[in-house]
Amino acid sequence: MKKKKHHVKTNAVRFLEKNKIPHETREFEVGETHASAKEIAITLGIAPEKLFKTIVLVGKQTGPLVTVIPSHHSLDLKKVAKVSGNKKVELLSLNDLEKVTGYIRGGCSPIGMKKHFPTYLASEAMQCEDIYVSAGKRGYQMRLAPKDLQAATRAEVVDICE
């Protein structure tokens, strides 16, 4: 992957550039409504299994934690609770998302959050040569190798999908 010039400098992009992690960014138009992962994959012209979504949860024992899963899968909260050392995990409130991560819904990147949180990358990612995740704002995605995402987020690769 060749490095491209970036039009937008989000915390995620700055982190990748600073750490010389190869990546590409892609921008697309966003409307007033929240686009589905399927719509985003079509817009980008990529297979849905290459598009990953970031879901921020909170556990009673650990506090906030980050999961990154294929966009066409659902998260298994019981599996996440088990691998993260929590009895139970639940979605972080949308009202708290920006305050905790620095990102908004639809633009939450697993890279470059306000602080580092335990991160869990779905094992399906490692079957792909490259994947797309949010680059830190709505309508902005980045493509990178799963091993680079794992290194950048210090993620544990685990089975967390239903």
Side-chain angles (χ1 to χ4, degrees):
M1 279 181 267
K2 289 191 176 177
K3 205 172 180 183
K4 280 188 159 182
K5 294 214 184 296
H6 303 288
H7 301 289
V8 180
K9 295 282 186 164
T10 62
N11 286 342
V13 171
R14 282 187 201 95
F15 180 91
L16 293 178
E17 288 178 350
K18 179 181 171 198
N19 291 286
K20 297 179 178 20
I21 296 172
H23 64 284
E24 273 181 16
T25 57
R26 301 265 309 270
E27 290 183 76
F28 58 94
E29 292 293 318
V30 292
E32 293 298 312
T33 60
H34 185 71
S36 73
K38 185 176 180 180
E39 292 169 323
I40 293 169
I42 290 168
T43 300
L44 293 174
I46 62 169
E49 55 271 9
K50 285 189 154 214
L51 183 63
F52 279 64
K53 57 189 174 185
T54 304
I55 302 172
V56 183
L57 305 167
V58 64
K60 291 234 189 286
Q61 285 74 23
T62 61
L65 55 109
V66 179
T67 60
V68 184
I69 67 168
S71 63
H72 64 295
H73 284 301
S74 296
L75 190 62
D76 186 321
L77 295 178
K78 287 182 180 175
K79 287 181 181 178
V80 176
K82 186 174 183 179
V83 299
S84 66
N86 286 285
K87 288 184 177 136
K88 183 180 172 189
V89 294
E90 57 190 34
L91 286 173
L92 179 70
S93 153
L94 280 181
N95 293 336
D96 294 334
L97 185 64
E98 188 172 9
K99 181 173 58 183
V100 171
T101 67
Y103 294 124
I104 61 167
R105 178 178 185 234
C108 187
S109 179
I111 300 169
M113 291 188 179
K114 284 184 174 182
K115 62 180 266 195
H116 178 266
F117 298 108
T119 303
Y120 302 92
L121 176 60
S123 54
E124 290 85 350
M126 304 318 262
Q127 298 163 11
C128 300
E129 184 179 323
D130 54 18
I131 61 173
Y132 287 78
V133 296
S134 174
K137 74 174 212 140
R138 289 182 69 223
Y140 199 40
Q141 294 283 310
M142 64 172 89
R143 179 177 76 113
L144 70 168
K147 66 177 179 46
D148 290 336
L149 176 63
Q150 180 188 9
T153 59
R154 302 191 306 256
E156 191 177 326
V157 177
V158 289
D159 172 20
I160 53 175
C161 294
E162 287 183 348

